[in-house]
Amino acid sequence: MWRIERIGWWGMGAILAAAMAGLFGHGPISRTTAPLADPAHPGDGMLLDYERFGRAHSDSQFVLSGPAPAPAGGTFSLWISEEYLTDAELIRITPEPSTQDLVSNGVRYYFPVEEGPRTVIFRFQPQRPGRLSGAFRLNDGPPTSFHQWLFP
Amino acid sequence: MDAVTRGAAVYVLLLIIFRLAGRRTLAQMTNFDFVLLLIISEATQNAMIGEDYSVTNGALVVLTLVGLDVLLSHVKRWSEAAEMWLDGKPTVIVEQGRPKTDIMQRARIDEDDVLMAARERQGLESMEQIKYAVLETSGGISIIPR
């Protein structure tokens, strides 16, 4: 009996250490990155930074940053797959997009840009635990898919 | 990460507040003390859970609190100084029927509290019947009759 308790303590310590590292979301190892490219503007891609481990009914941020391919005073667009939008509630986009279009298999958001690098943050709240998949597209580039594992 | 740090922060904060408040604070609860306890738990709940209502977050907060409790119990066993700081020491407040008024004053106890404990636990009726009364680290008063 005492031995089981002792093992339990070490187990608790291990779980807490893993939680601190972010194995259950909201930590350093829970985040990963994927590149977004636009063939029309080679070299002007963005980087998608998202949570591969998250929690259902808790905020999950997608940070897109980089030199978005658009002329100053123009716009660039980001497309999100419908697949992800059905499983996660979109809380807020920072900055707010100027317009949004319902297109095939997803929604396209348009952002007006000035000079300099850009950062767009999508704040989602996944609505169910388990494995969620989706994809982002920059302008008319190829889709960059992502996968999340969500704890209940 | 945030669940663990929030839980640990609230644990340490409460530890300091209740250590400073003294062991008698919630030891013998009046109705109002009970209400106070509920309000404190409500207030700390928000601080620990935040806006994350997932099961994982709740489980991690509970695990953090219990884990810290186990850890501190080990620390107290290894180091007497830590035990002194965290729990304090049992204090004799009545010796051979004579109350030690200066210690009782500092611990926020009066003779009525001692006599109440004597009546409830030992069925004694006067100070003279008490050999020792000890304020335990739990905040209770234990009575040894003559």
Side-chain angles (χ1 to χ4, degrees), chain A residues 62-79:
Chain A
F62 290 76
V63 181
L64 297 112
S65 54
T75 58
F76 73 98
S77 73
L78 288 165
W79 169 92

Side-chain angles (χ1 to χ4, degrees), chain B residues 30-51:
Chain B
T30 62
N31 287 346
F32 184 70
D33 285 339
F34 182 65
V35 173
L36 201 64
L37 187 70
L38 292 180
I39 298 172
I40 291 170
S41 63
E42 278 287 322
T44 51
Q45 183 201 328
N46 294 336
M48 287 189 290
I49 298 295
E51 284 184 0

Side-chain angles (χ1 to χ4, degrees), chain A residues 9 19 26 55-56 58 151-152, chain B residues 1 52 54-57 63-64 74:
Chain A
W9 289 344
H26 306 337
R55 298 171 199 165
S58 173
F151 291 91
Chain B
M1 185 167 85
D52 187 342
S54 61
V55 178
T56 308
N57 192 42
L63 215 58
T64 303
H74 279 294

Side-chain angles (χ1 to χ4, degrees), chain B residues 11 14 23 25 29 38 42 69 72 77 97 103 119 123 125 137:
Chain B
Y11 185 98
L14 288 181
R23 36 191 132 145
T25 302
M29 280 210 270
L38 292 180
E42 278 287 322
D69 222 45
L72 277 189
R77 223 161 42 100
I103 294 175
R119 284 195 301 272
E125 50 180 346
T137 52

Side-chain angles (χ1 to χ4, degrees), chain A residues 6 9 12 15-16 19-22 24-28 54-59 123 125 151-152, chain B residues 1-5 51-57 60-61 63-68 70 73-74 77:
Chain A
R6 212 45 61 84
W9 289 344
M12 264 156 62
I15 291 172
L16 288 178
M20 284 294 283
F24 305 109
H26 306 337
R55 298 171 199 165
H57 301 288
S58 173
D59 285 0
R123 199 150 69 90
Q125 203 175 78
F151 291 91
Chain B
M1 185 167 85
D2 49 349
V4 180
T5 47
E51 284 184 0
D52 187 342
Y53 303 114
S54 61
V55 178
T56 308
N57 192 42
L60 286 177
V61 168
L63 215 58
T64 303
L65 297 177
V66 174
L68 275 175
V70 171
S73 68
H74 279 294
R77 223 161 42 100

Side-chain angles (χ1 to χ4, degrees), chain B residues 102-114:
Chain B
D102 53 330
I103 294 175
M104 284 167 66
Q105 211 161 36
R106 267 184 279 166
R108 292 193 285 134
I109 300 172
D110 52 25
E111 290 186 19
D112 291 339
D113 293 328
V114 178

